[in-house]
Amino acid sequence: MTVSRRTVLKTLAATGAAGAAVGVAGRAEASHAAATLAPDAMGLLYDSTLCIGCQTCTVACQRANGMPVDKSLVTINGAPFDFPSDTNGYNKTVIKLFDSGERHAFMKMQCMQCVDPACTKACMLGSLHKVENGIVAWDPVRCTGCRYCQISCPFNVPKFQWHEAIPRIVKCELCRARVDGGKGSACAEVCPRGAVIAGKTVDLLATAKKRIAENPGRYYGEKDETGKVVPKIYGEHDGGGTQTLYLAPAGVSFQDLGLPKLTHEPPAQMAMTVQHGVYKGFIAPVILYVAAAVAIVRNLRKDAAEAHREEGKHS
Amino acid sequence: MSAEARPVGGRILTPFFYVLALLAGIMATLVLYRIFAGVGSITALTDGYSWGIWKPINVVTFTGIGAGAYAVGLLCYILNQGKFHPLVRPAVLVGALGYTLGGTSVIVDLGRWWGSVFLGFPPWYNLNSILLEVALCVITYMAVLWVEVLPAGLERMQSSHSPRWKGFADRWLPRVRRMLPFIIALAMLLPTMHQSSLGGLYMMAPTKEHPLWFTGWLPFLFLTSCLTMGYGSVVAMDVLLGVVFRGKYRTHMKLLGDLAKVCGWVTLFYVAFRFAALGFEGKLGEAFQLTGPVPYFWLEIVLFLVSGLMYLSPAVRRNRGRLFLAGFVGVLAGAAYRVDTYLTAYDPGPGWHYFPSLGEIFVTLGLAALGVAVFIVVVKTLPILALGTGHDAPFDPGRPTR
Amino acid sequence: MNQMETSIFSRRDFLKVCSMAAAAVGLPASAADKMAEAVAKRKPSVVWLQFQECTGCTESLLRTGHPDAAQLILDLISLDYSETLMAAAGHQAEAALAQAMKDNAGKYVLVVEGAIPTKENGGYCIIGGKTAIDMLKEVAEKAAAIVAIGSCASWGGIPSADPNPTGAVGVGEIVKGKPIVTIPGCPANPYNLLGTVLQFATFGTLPALDDKGRPKFAYARVIHDDCPRRPHFDNGRFAQRYGDEGSRQGWCLYKLGCKGPQTHANCSLLSFVDTVGAWPIGIGAQCFGCTEKDLAFRVPLFQTVDVQGPTPPAMYTPVNPQAGSVSPVATGVAGVVGGALVGAGLAYGAKLAKTEDASEEKKP
C-alpha cells in the first residue's frame, strides 16, 4: 500500500466530520422498528352506518380552521356542484357517497393520523411530524413543498394548494389549532347523529368493539384466519394502525368507501428497512469513500510513476 | 492529464443555437409565471399525481445522462483504466450540466422553494427521508462536478494574455489538481448513493406502484441502469461530436468499442437481474398479464436487450452509426425505466388522471435546450474535448492511447 | 239542520264555493260542477262524534277559509250531529242523532274526533249514559264511511300517552271490519278532512289510503321531504339551541330533535288557519311528530331521529371523483415532440451507419 497514513487520516477526518454533522438527530424518529399506538393518542371514530350525509362536519371543519372559501367550481356528471369533490387545499374533510345502485353508504374522508405514518418518514426536514397525542402536524417553516408526502401517503391525505404563490400542505390535524375559540375536533362536536366522535384511540376502539358486540350484523366484516367473517374496524391494524378508525355497514366494503387494502405493516416499513439497513450509522458511505480515495490516489501515483518511466525511456 | 484537450472554437450563434435559445426563453417565461401563480398554473399536476414528468425526465433522466461522468470515472479512476481519460472531461461537463438542469427543475417544482435553504441546516434533517439523502447528495455532487470542470477553465485562463488571470490560474490549477483525488472519490461515492436512492424513493409507495416495478431492489436497479445510461450517453455523444465537429474532433472508436463491451455486459446483467428479482419475489406472472402498464415493461426490456446485444456485436462496434444507435437506444431504455417507475407504473387510485400539460412539456424542452446550448458554448470556448491527432481512427485497433 | 235552499247565496257564489273547495282539496276543476250537482240533489249527512279529545280538530275546522265553516256547514254538507256546533242539547241532541241515523242509514259519513277509553269497561267517557265504545259501535254500524280525525281518533293520541291510564285507543281498535280513514295530526289539518269528505260527497269514493288508513294525498311523504328549511339541512346549517344564531337565522331544527324525517304529514304544504308558517317549524319549534303513534307523546322532544331511508341527492361527490385533466393538445404535442426526437435519433443513427458501411466498402 503506497498511500501515506496522512492521506488516510485526512480522508477519515473529512468524512467523520461530515458524518457527525449529518448524524445530529432533529426530528428523526426511531429508525425502522414499527411504532405502536400510544395510550394518549387521539383520533376519530367514523361509523358509516350512522352517517346521514348532512355534511355539517365539512362546514364546521371549514369554520373551525378558518379555511378560505373553496373557489374550485366542481362539476359532477356535468352539473355544477357547490361542494368540494374531495379534500383539497381548502377542505380538510369531506363527505363522499358510495352508491352502487343497490347499496349506498356515506364516507367521511380526512387524515388517518397513522400510528406509524409514511409522511413523517418521507418529509425531508420533518415538516410533517407527530406532536402531542400522536397528531400528525404540518410545520410551514420547514416545508419545501416537494410533495413527497403525497406520494408516500397510501390514503392520498396531504393536499396541496396548487395555485398559490405561497402554497401550503393541508390536512386534518384534529383541530389542534382552532380559530373559532372552540376546543377539540369540530366535526365530532357538530355531528347530529354521533356518526363521527373524537377521543383517545384506545377508547374509540373500545366503543367500536362494543357497537360490534351489540349488533354484529350491522357492520361489514372480513374473513379472519379461521375463515369466519368477523366485523372489522378499519385502522385497528391496517397500515400498522391508524388513530382514526372506521366502521362500514354490512355489505359495503372499506374499499367501496375508498380506503385502500393494507397489510398490518406500516407502508414505509420496507423502504425504511432497506434505507436504514444500507446507511446504518453512515458506515457504508464512509467506507466506500475511503476505499475510493485510496484506490484513486494509488492509481494516480501508479500512472505518474509509469509516465515517469516512459519519459525516462524516451529522453 | 489532458494535454490534448482544447476549445473547439467556431461560431456560437448558429441558427440551431437560436432555436435552443428560443426554447430556453419560453421555459424561463413559464418559470417566472409559475413563481407568482403557483405550480398548478403551468402544470397538470394534481394531489393524486403530485409529481409529473419533471421528476423522471428533468431530474432523473438528465442526471442519468449525466451519469457518464460517474460511469466512465469508475472505469478510469477506480479500475485504473486510464485509457478512457479523454472521454472523462466531456462526460463531466455533461454531468455538471445535467445535474444543474435537474437541480433547477427541482427548485421550479418545489412549492415552497425558499424552504430549501434549510437543506443546509443539519439539526432539521429527517434522517428517515430518502428524498433528503437524494437532495443533499445531488447538491453536493453538482458542486463536485463543477469543481471537476474547473481545471478546464483554469487551463484556459493560463493561456490568457492578461497577467492577472494567468497568475490566478497558475496559483490555483496545481492546488485544484492536488485536491482532485479526494474530489473524484466524492464523485464516485455520491452518485452511488443518490442514483440508487432516486429509485429508492418509490419504495415509499407500495400501494401505488405496480408490482412489476415495486421492489426492494429499486435502488440497485436504478444504480445499474444509470451506468448503462451513462455509458450510452458517452458513446452516443462522442459519435455525435465527431460528426458535428468534423475535422476538429475525432470519435474515439476504439475507446467506445471497449466501453461498449463493458456496457453490453452491464446491460444484460441488468435485464437478467430484473427478471431474477421478479422471480424471487414471485411476480413473474404479472409480466404476462398485458393490462395497464405491463406493455411498457416489455418495451423497456426490449430497449435494454436491443442496446445490450448491439453493444456486444463487433459489427456494431465497428460502425459509428450503429454504435450511436446502441448508445441512443441504451439511453432511451434507461429513460423509459425511469419514466415508467415514476409515472406509468404509478397509480394513486381510481379517478386520478394525468398527462403532462403544455407548460410542463415546454419547461422540459426548454431545460434540455438550455443544457445543450451551454454545452455548445463551453465546448467551443473551454478545453473540454480532446482534439488533435494521436487518436485511433476507425478500424485501427491497438494504437496506444495514452 | 235540514236541507236548506241555496237562496242565501246566488248560484254563482255557490259554484265559487264548490270550486274553492274542490281546489283546496286537490280535486279536479270538473269536480266543482259535480259537487254542485250532488249537493243540489241532497247534501251528504255527516255525524260528528267527540270522545276523549280537546276539540282542537273541530276548532281547526272552524278556521278554514276556503270553504269557510259557514259555507261548509250551510252549503256543502249537512252536519246532523256535532256536540260543539249544534244548537240542540240534552234530549234534543240525542233525538237529532237518532233521527239522522234513521233518515240516512247507510249513507251518512261518520267523523270521529277523540280517543276511546277502554279501561273500566269504557267508563272514562260516558255521553248520554252510553260509553264511548257503545256509542261508536252503534253509529259506525250504519255509516257509509268512517273518518277518524286527529291523532286521538286515529291511534289514541295524547290520552294514550304512557302510562295510558284510561286505555285510550283509536277508532280502528273499536270498529272492525269496516274501512276507516284516519287523518292524524294534533290538530289534524282541516283540509285533509275536507278533501276526503268532499270527495266522498261528490264522487262517492274515498281517496287512496296507505297501510294506516291515511289518505296518501296528504300523508305519503314525511315533513322532511317538503320542509321549507330543508336547504339548511342539506347544507349543514343547524340551530343548536333555542335563540342561538342558527335559530334566529331559521336554520334546520334537526339537531334540536325535529321529528320531521319520520313524520308523515303535509303541514308545510297546506297551511293551518290559512296562515303560511302557522305550524311548529314555521315558528321555529321542532316538529314533534304529532301524526305518528311511535313518536308523538312517546319520544322525547329533543331526541334526534334517524332520517328514514336517506336517499342521497342525485348530485353527491362520489368516493372516487374524476380528478386531473388530460389535455388533448398537450397529448398531441408530446406525441409529436417525443416521436420527433426519438425518430430523429434513430434516423440519424441509421443514416450514419449506412454512410459508414458505404465508406467501408469503398476502402480497398
Side-chain angles (χ1 to χ4, degrees):
Chain A
M1 195 67 106
T2 52
V3 180
S4 79
R5 215 179 333 166
R6 191 200 278 185
T7 315
V8 174
L9 286 173
K10 262 210 281 197
T11 317
L12 277 174
T15 50
V22 169
V24 174
R27 283 178 183 154
E29 298 151 17
S31 57
H32 48 278
T36 49
L37 181 65
D40 69 337
M42 298 279 284
L44 301 170
L45 170 63
Y46 175 74
D47 189 334
S48 178
T49 67
L50 294 176
C51 179
I52 56 171
C54 69
Q55 307 193 69
T56 312
C57 51
T58 311
V59 173
C61 169
Q62 270 247 330
R63 262 193 247 121
N65 287 280
M67 307 299 289
V69 171
D70 184 2
K71 294 187 288 287
S72 61
L73 184 66
V74 178
T75 63
I76 304 266
N77 298 329
F81 185 67
D82 64 0
F83 231 76
S85 65
D86 203 352
T87 53
N88 55 29
Y90 308 95
N91 287 284
K92 298 188 177 187
T93 190
V94 79
I95 295 289
K96 296 182 178 181
L97 168 71
F98 162 72
D99 191 349
S100 73
E102 302 147 1
R103 313 165 283 158
H104 75 264
F106 293 103
M107 168 64 187
K108 181 177 188 294
M109 194 59 219
Q110 75 292 301
C111 179
M112 302 293 284
Q113 312 292 348
C114 297
V115 170
D116 195 347
C119 61
T120 57
K121 304 273 182 317
C123 185
M124 290 200 290
L125 296 169
S127 168
L128 281 167
H129 60 293
K130 267 199 184 260
V131 294
E132 76 280 350
N133 300 122
I135 298 172
V136 182
W138 177 74
D139 180 351
V141 178
R142 298 194 185 198
C143 177
T144 61
C146 72
R147 310 185 299 281
Y148 193 34
C149 53
Q150 296 190 307
I151 304 263
S152 62
C153 176
F155 306 101
N156 290 325
V157 156
K159 293 295 197 285
F160 188 68
Q161 294 178 334
W162 293 97
H163 294 274
E164 303 284 341
I166 305 181
R168 302 172 67 92
I169 285 281
V170 171
K171 69 170 201 68
C172 166
E173 295 183 20
L174 293 180
C175 282
R176 55 188 281 265
R178 280 174 74 156
V179 303
D180 65 345
K183 228 171 114 48
S185 300
C187 55
E189 184 185 297
V190 298
C191 178
R193 304 299 299 134
V196 60
I197 55 177
K200 299 207 178 92
T201 304
V202 288
D203 294 335
L204 296 173
L205 258 176
T207 305
K209 291 195 169 134
K210 193 161 89 94
R211 289 187 198 176
I212 287 174
E214 283 166 3
N215 202 343
R218 184 182 170 96
Y219 298 102
Y220 172 79
E222 286 179 355
K223 290 212 181 95
D224 63 7
E225 313 84 44
T226 66
K228 194 170 84 135
V229 173
V230 168
K232 182 178 160 72
I233 305 168
Y234 190 95
E236 191 180 357
H237 300 298
D238 307 80
T242 60
Q243 288 162 212
T244 289
L245 308 167
Y246 283 81
L247 288 169
V252 176
S253 75
F254 291 106
Q255 280 68 62
D256 288 332
L257 296 179
L259 290 167
K261 205 165 176 63
L262 298 176
T263 63
H264 288 3
E265 200 182 76
Q269 186 74 349
M270 192 274 267
M272 291 298 102
T273 307
V274 170
Q275 183 77 353
H276 289 300
V278 169
Y279 287 98
K280 201 167 181 67
F282 217 60
I283 296 172
V286 168
I287 292 179
L288 220 67
Y289 180 74
V290 171
V294 161
I296 292 168
V297 169
R298 218 185 60 179
N299 291 335
L300 286 178
R301 296 252 170 93
K302 224 199 307 181
D303 289 345
E306 222 178 77
H308 245 84
R309 262 180 269 125
E310 291 262 337
E311 267 171 45
K313 279 195 214 152
H314 292 174
S315 57
Chain B
M1 254 202 270
S2 32
E4 315 95 345
R6 285 204 310 275
V8 174
R11 215 169 64 145
I12 289 180
L13 295 177
T14 61
F16 179 62
F17 193 85
Y18 282 122
V19 172
L20 295 176
L22 175 67
L23 285 171
I26 295 174
M27 179 265 299
T29 315
L30 287 167
V31 169
L32 192 65
Y33 182 63
R34 167 260 174 277
I35 292 175
F36 295 103
V39 176
S41 64
I42 60 171
T43 66
L45 298 174
T46 55
D47 294 309
Y49 281 97
S50 11
W51 287 353
I53 55 165
W54 286 350
K55 284 281 186 307
I57 298 184
N58 303 4
V59 180
V60 193
T61 298
F62 287 5
T63 59
I65 290 173
Y70 171 56
V72 175
L74 271 178
L75 291 177
C76 195
Y77 296 116
I78 304 290
L79 299 181
N80 203 25
Q81 302 295 301
K83 65 185 182 188
F84 290 112
H85 196 264
L87 297 176
V88 169
R89 256 197 194 177
V92 165
L93 177 63
V94 170
L97 288 172
Y99 274 79
T100 307
L101 293 176
T104 309
S105 179
V106 168
I107 298 292
V108 172
D109 197 18
L110 283 181
R112 298 171 66 93
W113 41 271
W114 53 89
S116 57
V117 301
F118 296 115
L119 287 172
F121 191 57
W124 281 7
Y125 289 177
N126 176 11
L127 297 180
N128 291 308
S129 173
I130 304 176
L131 189 60
L132 176 72
E133 185 234 305
V134 169
L136 294 175
C137 272
V138 165
I139 292 169
T140 316
Y141 186 57
M142 193 182 350
V144 164
L145 281 167
W146 283 111
V147 167
E148 280 191 275
V149 175
L150 204 53
L154 290 173
E155 281 167 26
R156 173 82 156 88
M157 272 202 262
Q158 269 192 328
S159 56
S160 162
H161 298 303
S162 151
R164 211 180 60 192
W165 285 125
K166 185 164 165 31
F168 179 83
D170 283 338
R171 262 199 323 278
W172 280 98
L173 198 50
R175 285 180 198 169
V176 172
R177 284 211 180 118
R178 266 203 303 276
M179 289 304 304
L180 227 40
F182 303 99
I183 292 171
I184 296 173
L186 259 185
M188 296 295 106
L189 168 71
L190 292 171
T192 312
M193 289 170 66
H194 70 253
Q195 283 290 348
S196 55
S197 290
L198 279 171
L201 286 176
Y202 277 79
M203 291 193 298
M204 291 285 285
T207 59
K208 303 181 188 176
E209 190 75 3
H210 191 278
L212 278 182
W213 281 265
F214 181 80
T215 164
W217 293 106
L218 268 169
F220 183 70
L221 288 169
F222 263 67
L223 187 61
T224 317
S225 55
C226 99
L227 290 178
T228 65
M229 276 185 89
Y231 291 133
S233 80
V234 167
V235 166
M237 194 182 61
D238 208 61
V239 172
L240 198 56
L241 288 172
V243 174
V244 169
F245 297 124
R246 191 188 318 266
K248 296 183 195 167
Y249 184 82
R250 220 117 144 252
T251 302
H252 301 76
M253 281 305 286
K254 173 75 171 55
L255 288 183
L256 295 188
D258 291 342
L259 211 57
K261 272 188 256 178
V262 172
C263 186
W265 287 114
V266 175
T267 307
L268 293 185
F269 169 76
Y270 164 85
V271 175
F273 194 89
R274 188 100 194 267
F275 279 103
L278 287 175
F280 187 69
E281 290 171 357
K283 292 184 196 166
L284 274 177
E286 299 267 359
F288 298 99
Q289 301 184 27
L290 294 177
T291 54
V294 177
Y296 291 97
F297 167 80
W298 288 108
L299 176 65
E300 286 173 31
I301 298 297
V302 163
L303 289 173
F304 275 106
L305 281 178
V306 164
S307 80
L309 292 173
M310 280 180 82
Y311 281 133
L312 293 176
S313 151
V316 166
R317 288 202 296 271
R318 272 202 302 273
N319 181 313
R320 276 184 311 166
R322 295 210 181 91
L323 200 51
F324 171 83
L325 278 177
F328 185 70
V329 173
V331 170
L332 280 183
Y337 179 50
R338 280 147 174 76
V339 172
D340 286 347
T341 305
Y342 275 63
L343 270 185
T344 326
Y346 178 78
D347 181 7
W352 295 105
H353 305 288
Y354 168 76
F355 193 84
S357 69
L358 282 176
E360 288 171 87
I361 294 171
F362 275 98
V363 165
T364 298
L365 280 179
L367 276 176
L370 181 64
V372 172
V374 173
F375 181 82
I376 291 172
V377 169
V378 172
V379 143
K380 284 182 175 172
T381 58
L382 294 186
I384 300 288
L385 296 183
L387 307 180
T389 59
H391 288 280
D392 41 276
F395 324 114
D396 194 345
R399 195 124 51 100
T401 56
R402 249 175 82 90
Chain C
M1 287 177 219
N2 296 321
Q3 207 166 327
M4 278 184 73
E5 300 298 320
T6 55
S7 54
I8 298 180
F9 307 102
S10 71
R11 175 142 180 90
R12 200 142 141 259
D13 289 330
F14 177 62
L15 277 171
K16 258 207 248 168
V17 168
C18 290
S19 318
M20 242 199 298
V25 296
L27 290 169
S30 57
D33 287 333
K34 275 213 88 186
M35 201 183 289
E37 210 184 290
V39 164
K41 274 203 232 119
R42 187 194 171 78
K43 287 198 292 185
S45 168
V46 175
V47 172
W48 190 297
L49 298 181
Q50 293 168 255
F51 301 124
Q52 279 177 309
E53 38 77 61
C54 69
T55 317
C57 293
T58 299
E59 295 288 346
S60 186
L61 183 64
L62 292 176
R63 283 154 179 77
T64 52
H66 40 273
D68 65 30
Q71 287 163 339
L72 172 70
I73 296 166
L74 298 175
D75 298 335
L76 298 172
I77 63 171
S78 175
L79 189 56
D80 292 333
Y81 181 84
S82 162
E83 287 156 20
T84 308
L85 297 176
M86 65 200 298
H91 291 294
Q92 270 185 306
E94 289 179 58
L97 175 61
Q99 190 67 41
M101 281 167 64
K102 191 157 147 256
D103 291 344
N104 303 291
K107 291 201 219 90
Y108 60 83
V109 176
L110 167 61
V111 179
V112 185
E113 184 180 356
I116 301 98
T118 53
K119 286 223 179 109
E120 309 298 339
N121 288 314
Y124 286 105
C125 180
I126 299 185
I127 302 165
K130 285 203 197 110
T131 64
I133 297 173
D134 292 337
M135 190 176 187
L136 176 59
K137 280 190 180 154
E138 205 184 303
V139 181
E141 213 193 309
K142 293 273 169 50
I146 304 170
V147 179
I149 185 166
S151 291
C152 296
S154 300
W155 48 263
I158 194 168
S160 70
D162 298 331
N164 199 353
T166 63
V169 297
V171 171
E173 302 291 320
I174 305 295
V175 177
K176 302 284 186 190
K178 286 190 113 152
I180 299 171
V181 179
T182 60
I183 302 184
C186 189
N189 191 311
Y191 287 105
N192 295 346
L193 172 72
L194 282 178
T196 307
V197 168
L198 289 174
Q199 176 171 337
F200 185 74
T202 313
F203 298 106
T205 57
L206 289 174
L209 305 175
D210 68 8
D211 60 336
K212 289 191 169 78
R214 303 178 295 202
K216 282 187 183 165
F217 75 78
Y219 296 91
R221 298 209 297 269
V222 291
I223 293 287
H224 187 61
D225 289 338
D226 292 312
C227 183
R229 298 198 180 191
R230 182 63 182 273
H232 296 300
F233 173 90
D234 287 340
N235 285 292
R237 292 186 289 264
F238 294 92
Q240 312 271 6
R241 275 193 308 281
Y242 290 135
D244 73 354
E245 204 210 320
S247 205
R248 280 197 297 273
Q249 299 271 13
W251 289 352
C252 177
L253 301 164
Y254 180 70
K255 284 201 70 182
L256 286 171
C258 176
K259 307 296 185 291
Q262 288 192 2
T263 304
H264 295 82
N266 60 347
C267 309
S268 63
L269 301 174
L270 280 180
S271 303
F272 288 85
V273 202
D274 285 337
T275 303
V276 173
W279 64 302
I281 291 172
I283 61 162
Q286 63 277 61
C287 163
F288 75 96
C290 69
T291 62
E292 300 287 344
K293 181 175 178 173
D294 296 324
L295 293 176
F297 318 115
R298 201 143 270 130
V299 175
L301 185 61
F302 289 90
Q303 185 171 314
T304 57
V305 291
D306 281 332
V307 174
Q308 242 175 17
T311 39
M315 288 194 311
Y316 218 108
T317 179
V319 170
N320 296 307
Q322 299 302 302
S325 60
V326 173
S327 154
V329 176
T331 314
V333 168
V336 166
V337 168
L341 288 174
V342 172
L346 293 175
Y348 180 78
K351 197 179 97 164
L352 202 58
K354 254 222 293 243
T355 45
E356 195 83 340
D357 281 341
S359 68
E360 192 195 326
E361 271 163 37
K362 284 211 202 105
K363 281 204 151 109

